[in-house]
Amino acid sequence: MIIKTPLMGFNTWNTFGECYYDKDIREIADAMADRGFSDAGYKYLIVDDHWNMEYRDSETGRMIERPGKFPNGIRPVIDYVHSKGLKFGIYSCAGTRTCGTKMGSFDREFTDARTFAEWGVDYLKYDYCLKPELMDGETLYRRMSIALRQSGRDIAFAACNWGCDDVWSWIRAAGAHTYRSTGDISDNFNSFTDIFRSQVAKLGASAIGCYNDLDMLTVGMEGQGNVAVGDMFSESTYRIQFGIWCMFGSPLILGCDVRTVSDKYRDLLCNPELIAINQDPECRPPFAIAFDDRLEYCKLLSNGDYAFMFVNTDENSKNMSLRPWDIGLTDNSGYQIILRDVFTGEEIPVRDYVSFPVEARDCRIFRGRMEKIR
Amino acid sequence: MLSTVPYMGISIARRNADLIDEKSVLSVADDMITTGLLSVGYSILMIGDAWIADKRKNGTLCCDTEKFPGGLSSLSKKLKERGITLGVLIGAGFKTENGRPGSFEHEYEDAQFLANEGVGYVACDFSFLPERIDRLTLIRRMGMALRAADVNMIYSVFSQEECFFNHIRSTAACAYRNTSFAKSAAVAFPPDEMAGYSASGCFFNCGEPVFDKSSAIAEVRTSIVTASLMSSPFIVECTPSELSEDALSILKNSSVLNILLDPEARPARRMNKSDSRVYTKFLDGNRYAAAFINLEETDRDIFLSSYDFGLNRDASLTVVAESVFDDESIRFDDYVTVNVKAGDARLYILTLEEADV
């Protein structure tokens, strides 16, 4: 199965942690379908850790759903999610237990993959907790990948080893479709800037078929839910977060409560121009325009356009600038670039230099097109 | 340009430049048709830099019209009529590696010239550069110029000194190579830890092997097996009509080409550490490739266990290995040992069946 552009969906973890029930999953499915998320491309509804028991069925060896969460089993929930035109994702772990000490898939990968396929699962998030310490992790991801491919159903495989063991160097060969590259996100500006700063030099391994996953988004959570830390969030910092996830070609997995998130954040998360940058068919990673740690990125798009992002992490507004020479445009090229602000529609023509204001802890994102001038 | 699978072709770039003119190029093009290479996917004809005239005109590269009386546009048109894409070599520095005028500070005029002339594949050599300009910036610049001229141009980067594994995908490059032009049949794997950077859209190029009528079959086989494992672009330097039937049959083998062009384009992963190498590669459609490559000077038995491949007792699966180059079929539950002759390779397609318990 080839995943041609970064996956988009929702995961329960950020909002619910371990406290979700049959009813919540159905309501989330309703909200994804009814509030425009599904139409914008968010198709996977992923149930994270804590859905299953700490032991297996003694006769079949299969995992067992928690009856307190799913009194009628998980199958009717999966069917409901499918009835909304969505795909269903589930969670397991390469270890003997999950991070929440529920049953993991170690040495039962094929049994579990067959079970998931039989239930109609479309996506597996595969964590890395409680793995036997002397077992090679790469082999475990290969093994679950083969098990899923052998299951008879197309199941997207989302590796989640938090960037350990140089995962970028082997995970594509191991058959995964996405790979988490860092520790867990918090709903905090410093958390997500740490995440994306750590990945800039590794983005060359993120490409069609297997994508670097920067973790579930916290956009719109505003301190609610399961991953709140402090109060370092705002509309503008969420704009930065979503812009970076789009520029970096990360899977877009919503973490906010899509039932209640405000319309302004829904509109940001469904912004068609930003999603088009994320879903560009060439899936090229951006490059840092500056040689220091300024957050200025440029990404090549398949129609010949360029996406630009300028992030101001300071607590004061400031001017930021672009010299197109740095991305490859020379004075004798005969071209200029027309920058169009994806939020305001403002157009700025640029030949050799341009400077523009960026508000405090905010960003500017442009789509640039080449224009022949002689 | 989105290259979801590697491109393939024939090259005459290493020939003596005096032997490269429109007539000889068209002769090779006809060879590509009569040998059947074109019909199985070798669709680029790379003519190198012998077409570049010694002097620029109005700042732009010129075609040597003594060799190519109708210019590149006439040649590209005639090739297109045959279903072949014209490929050329240019230099990003002051001159190409063969001493022809380079495109430094003429990138945009030259890119427009190549697009106007109907060139579809541009390999750019990054040598003879000024020292005090960032090489990656020049790779970006040439890519930007080519995109501006023709967004569908295939742009292949030859950067011998530094390959920028982790940055090259962010340029317009469709492929990149960090080896010099191969002087022999040998092509090169990327370092094991760098293979993860090669994928659809921008492939590691294992190099262009050079084959002639005396090429050993083992060399031809090892080269195409290596390229297929890494989903490398595969452009073969040869005169097609001079190749032996055995060599042609390997180059046209549909099974190995299906691995090379597998739509998932995942890199292979090395399963052992010795010079007798074994690689496995995930293919589309729940199939796998396994290659046993003996780079040593004596025949070797090479070992692969199903556990290292990714199976275990819970899988309860038997591996069925069908040889690509002959009729051998092997079934194994736990491990297999394959005897490989010195300097040769054996390649199998693996499928999995329920084991008899």
Side-chain angles (χ1 to χ4, degrees), chain A residues 3 18 39 44 63 77 189 193 197 212 220-221 245 257 260 306 308 315 322 372:
Chain A
I3 307 284
E18 64 180 279
D39 287 344
Y44 287 86
M63 287 184 171
V77 180
F189 181 66
T193 51
R197 280 181 189 275
N212 184 330
M221 296 191 70
W245 262 237
D257 189 337
T260 56
Y306 296 81
F308 295 91
E315 293 180 9
L322 170 68
K372 197 138 178 98

Side-chain angles (χ1 to χ4, degrees), chain A residues 4 9 45 64 85 97 100 107 110 147 149 161 169 191-192 221-222 226 241 266 270 283 294 300 324 336 339 362:
Chain A
K4 291 183 175 174
L45 194 171
I64 306 168
R97 295 291 187 92
D107 262 350
F110 289 82
R149 291 156 62 97
N161 88 331
S169 67
S191 168
F192 65 79
M221 296 191 70
E222 297 196 309
N226 185 48
Q241 183 185 126
R266 189 270 316 273
C270 295
C283 298
R294 279 174 293 158
L300 278 62
Q336 65 177 358
L339 298 180
D362 204 343

Side-chain angles (χ1 to χ4, degrees), chain A residues 82-117:
Chain A
H82 286 159
S83 77
K84 292 288 175 179
L86 301 169
K87 293 175 181 289
F88 185 85
I90 208 163
Y91 168 98
S92 188
C93 184
T96 56
R97 295 291 187 92
T98 70
C99 301
T101 67
K102 305 301 179 287
M103 206 66 232
S105 290
F106 179 75
D107 262 350
R108 297 294 189 97
E109 296 84 356
F110 289 82
T111 298
D112 291 346
R114 279 192 285 266
T115 304
F116 298 151

